[in-house]
mmCIF file of all heavy atoms in Angstrom:
data_model
loop_
_atom_site.group_PDB
_atom_site.id
_atom_site.type_symbol
_atom_site.label_atom_id
_atom_site.label_comp_id
_atom_site.label_asym_id
_atom_site.label_seq_id
_atom_site.Cartn_x
_atom_site.Cartn_y
_atom_site.Cartn_z
ATOM 1 N N VAL I 211 52.778 11.287 -49.890
ATOM 2 C CA VAL I 211 53.423 12.473 -50.480
ATOM 3 C C VAL I 211 54.906 12.279 -50.645
ATOM 4 O O VAL I 211 55.476 12.591 -51.703
ATOM 5 C CB VAL I 211 53.152 13.713 -49.564
ATOM 6 C CG1 VAL I 211 53.914 14.927 -50.098
ATOM 7 C CG2 VAL I 211 51.666 14.027 -49.522
ATOM 8 N N ILE I 212 55.543 11.704 -49.667
ATOM 9 C CA ILE I 212 56.999 11.416 -49.793
ATOM 10 C C ILE I 212 57.266 10.483 -50.954
ATOM 11 O O ILE I 212 58.204 10.672 -51.736
ATOM 12 C CB ILE I 212 57.546 10.818 -48.472
ATOM 13 C CG1 ILE I 212 57.563 11.879 -47.352
ATOM 14 C CG2 ILE I 212 58.973 10.304 -48.678
ATOM 15 C CD1 ILE I 212 57.986 11.339 -46.016
ATOM 16 N N ALA I 213 56.409 9.445 -51.085
ATOM 17 C CA ALA I 213 56.608 8.498 -52.185
ATOM 18 C C ALA I 213 56.498 9.174 -53.525
ATOM 19 O O ALA I 213 57.293 8.946 -54.416
ATOM 20 C CB ALA I 213 55.625 7.367 -52.036
ATOM 21 N N VAL I 214 55.470 9.963 -53.706
ATOM 22 C CA VAL I 214 55.256 10.629 -55.000
ATOM 23 C C VAL I 214 56.420 11.579 -55.340
ATOM 24 O O VAL I 214 56.913 11.575 -56.455
ATOM 25 C CB VAL I 214 53.893 11.414 -55.007
ATOM 26 C CG1 VAL I 214 53.790 12.292 -56.230
ATOM 27 C CG2 VAL I 214 52.746 10.411 -54.966
ATOM 28 N N MET I 215 56.852 12.373 -54.359
ATOM 29 C CA MET I 215 57.904 13.335 -54.609
ATOM 30 C C MET I 215 59.246 12.675 -54.872
ATOM 31 O O MET I 215 59.949 12.999 -55.819
ATOM 32 C CB MET I 215 58.024 14.288 -53.406
ATOM 33 C CG MET I 215 56.810 15.193 -53.187
ATOM 34 S SD MET I 215 56.579 16.347 -54.582
ATOM 35 C CE MET I 215 55.165 17.276 -53.971
ATOM 36 N N THR I 216 59.609 11.705 -54.025
ATOM 37 C CA THR I 216 60.925 11.125 -54.119
ATOM 38 C C THR I 216 61.025 10.108 -55.271
ATOM 39 O O THR I 216 62.018 10.079 -56.023
ATOM 40 C CB THR I 216 61.336 10.436 -52.801
ATOM 41 O OG1 THR I 216 60.347 9.470 -52.472
ATOM 42 C CG2 THR I 216 61.437 11.475 -51.712
ATOM 43 N N ILE I 217 60.010 9.268 -55.406
ATOM 44 C CA ILE I 217 60.057 8.220 -56.479
ATOM 45 C C ILE I 217 60.030 8.868 -57.838
ATOM 46 O O ILE I 217 60.793 8.465 -58.750
ATOM 47 C CB ILE I 217 58.917 7.237 -56.296
ATOM 48 C CG1 ILE I 217 59.113 6.413 -55.007
ATOM 49 C CG2 ILE I 217 58.800 6.313 -57.501
ATOM 50 C CD1 ILE I 217 57.964 5.468 -54.706
ATOM 51 N N SER I 218 59.181 9.896 -58.011
ATOM 52 C CA SER I 218 59.119 10.524 -59.342
ATOM 53 C C SER I 218 60.452 11.216 -59.688
ATOM 54 O O SER I 218 60.926 11.084 -60.814
ATOM 55 C CB SER I 218 57.952 11.555 -59.349
ATOM 56 O OG SER I 218 58.223 12.619 -58.429
ATOM 57 N N TYR I 219 61.046 11.878 -58.707
ATOM 58 C CA TYR I 219 62.308 12.544 -58.953
ATOM 59 C C TYR I 219 63.432 11.537 -59.224
ATOM 60 O O TYR I 219 64.242 11.690 -60.161
ATOM 61 C CB TYR I 219 62.709 13.443 -57.813
ATOM 62 C CG TYR I 219 64.038 14.145 -57.951
ATOM 63 C CD1 TYR I 219 64.168 15.144 -58.912
ATOM 64 C CD2 TYR I 219 65.131 13.784 -57.183
ATOM 65 C CE1 TYR I 219 65.383 15.813 -59.066
ATOM 66 C CE2 TYR I 219 66.346 14.437 -57.345
ATOM 67 C CZ TYR I 219 66.455 15.435 -58.298
ATOM 68 O OH TYR I 219 67.684 16.074 -58.484
ATOM 69 N N GLY I 220 63.483 10.483 -58.446
ATOM 70 C CA GLY I 220 64.482 9.438 -58.641
ATOM 71 C C GLY I 220 64.354 8.749 -59.995
ATOM 72 O O GLY I 220 65.333 8.526 -60.695
ATOM 73 N N ALA I 221 63.079 8.433 -60.352
ATOM 74 C CA ALA I 221 62.872 7.734 -61.609
ATOM 75 C C ALA I 221 63.221 8.634 -62.792
ATOM 76 O O ALA I 221 63.882 8.202 -63.771
ATOM 77 C CB ALA I 221 61.426 7.287 -61.716
ATOM 78 N N VAL I 222 62.828 9.880 -62.743
ATOM 79 C CA VAL I 222 63.072 10.822 -63.828
ATOM 80 C C VAL I 222 64.590 11.086 -63.966
ATOM 81 O O VAL I 222 65.138 11.046 -65.072
ATOM 82 C CB VAL I 222 62.298 12.126 -63.627
ATOM 83 C CG1 VAL I 222 62.835 13.218 -64.565
ATOM 84 C CG2 VAL I 222 60.834 11.915 -63.913
ATOM 85 N N SER I 223 65.253 11.288 -62.880
ATOM 86 C CA SER I 223 66.709 11.538 -62.907
ATOM 87 C C SER I 223 67.472 10.317 -63.448
ATOM 88 O O SER I 223 68.414 10.481 -64.244
ATOM 89 C CB SER I 223 67.212 11.820 -61.472
ATOM 90 O OG SER I 223 66.605 13.018 -60.976
ATOM 91 N N THR I 224 67.009 9.109 -63.101
ATOM 92 C CA THR I 224 67.641 7.895 -63.629
ATOM 93 C C THR I 224 67.460 7.790 -65.100
ATOM 94 O O THR I 224 68.406 7.502 -65.887
ATOM 95 C CB THR I 224 67.112 6.663 -62.901
ATOM 96 O OG1 THR I 224 67.326 6.769 -61.506
ATOM 97 C CG2 THR I 224 67.750 5.407 -63.405
#
Side-chain angles (χ1 to χ4, degrees):
V211 175
I212 291 177
V214 169
M215 294 295 183
T216 57
I217 292 176
S218 64
Y219 179 69
V222 166
S223 299
T224 301

